[in-house]
Amino acid sequence: MKEIVLPKRIDGQSPPILRGRRQVTVVGANGSGKTRFINEIANSLGDGAFRVSALNALFDIGAREHVPMSIESLYRAAVENVQFMRPSADTEFEMLLFLLLNDEMAGLFAYKMELLTGDVQNPPELPRTKIDKVVRLWQEIFPKNEILRANGRIRIRNQSGESPYKPLQLSNGEKAVFYYIGAVLYAPEGSV
């Protein structure tokens, strides 16, 4: 587990070192320096930090600086390598949806190839994908909402009886929960 060295203190004393931590949460007023504080920690960790941003997840904030080790960086890499579509996403929430569906599709392709080339008597087990984990956790948190997967799309259905709707139609709070569940599944092993 990495040590997290906090940024220098204003009083000149040595900065505290957090040992055995993988998560840091910073709370403060608007403009108090939370983002600068976290960026300094993340920059000191380099590739050992995985960035999850609620602001980037929910809102299209236009042109932004490329952030390594983030959902956006994983999305950009996936778009370069995907051959079946060229997606367009304005928010990290949309990027995450693409990554989850891309992961599901890759798992299904690999499963199909195993079925076609493998032992018919002992078929392979259906792979568990990241979206399977998101669905399981989502339904623990929101037991009255169901995540559906059909025809390469994700839809949400609630008990109200209305038609299933797109994830982009979730409330901002629901989107944030979905995003946090899914985003942490993409964090590299051992990252902060």
Side-chain angles (χ1 to χ4, degrees):
M1 185 114 3
K2 297 185 183 312
E3 288 185 344
I4 300 173
V5 179
L6 296 180
K8 65 182 180 181
R9 295 173 50 116
I10 341 178
D11 62 9
Q13 293 183 17
S14 297
I17 298 173
L18 305 177
R19 291 178 175 83
R21 304 275 175 88
R22 290 191 53 223
Q23 177 179 327
V24 175
T25 303
V26 178
V27 178
N30 289 342
S32 64
K34 297 179 301 292
T35 300
R36 196 171 310 118
F37 182 79
I38 290 299
N39 284 342
E40 197 168 321
I41 292 171
N43 289 337
S44 74
L45 292 168
D47 286 347
F50 187 75
R51 298 171 191 227
V52 178
S53 168
L55 184 64
N56 291 345
L58 301 182
F59 304 104
D60 176 7
I61 55 175
R64 56 184 157 217
E65 180 181 325
H66 174 71
V67 177
M69 298 301 292
S70 65
I71 291 299
E72 182 178 5
S73 67
L74 295 173
Y75 169 80
R76 290 183 186 283
V79 167
E80 291 297 317
N81 294 314
V82 75
Q83 298 193 14
F84 52 89
M85 71 171 96
R86 289 286 177 223
S88 172
D90 295 322
T91 66
E92 282 194 21
F93 182 76
E94 293 170 275
M95 293 174 193
L96 174 67
L97 291 171
F98 168 78
L99 289 171
L100 290 167
L101 287 171
N102 190 50
D103 178 60
E104 178 88 347
M105 190 72 84
L108 290 173
F109 284 154
Y111 178 69
K112 180 178 180 179
M113 294 311 297
E114 267 190 79
L115 283 175
L116 292 173
T117 59
D119 179 4
V120 179
Q121 301 300 325
N122 298 311
E125 202 172 297
L126 188 62
R128 306 304 291 163
T129 60
K130 288 177 174 64
I131 188 92
D132 293 324
K133 293 176 185 176
V134 170
V135 167
R136 183 180 56 77
L137 291 169
W138 174 266
Q139 294 193 205
E140 282 181 31
I141 296 166
F142 299 104
K144 295 182 180 184
N145 288 352
E146 183 179 10
I147 295 178
L148 307 171
R149 292 171 278 179
N151 302 321
R153 294 187 176 116
I154 297 172
R155 295 291 183 258
I156 311 295
R157 180 172 55 199
N158 59 32
Q159 291 182 336
S160 70
E162 63 187 63
S163 298
Y165 51 92
K166 297 175 183 179
L168 295 176
Q169 293 173 298
L170 289 166
S171 72
N172 285 344
E174 290 170 320
K175 284 183 201 172
V177 170
F178 188 103
Y179 175 79
Y180 288 132
I181 292 170
V184 298
L185 296 176
Y186 285 94
E189 187 71 33
S191 64
V192 174

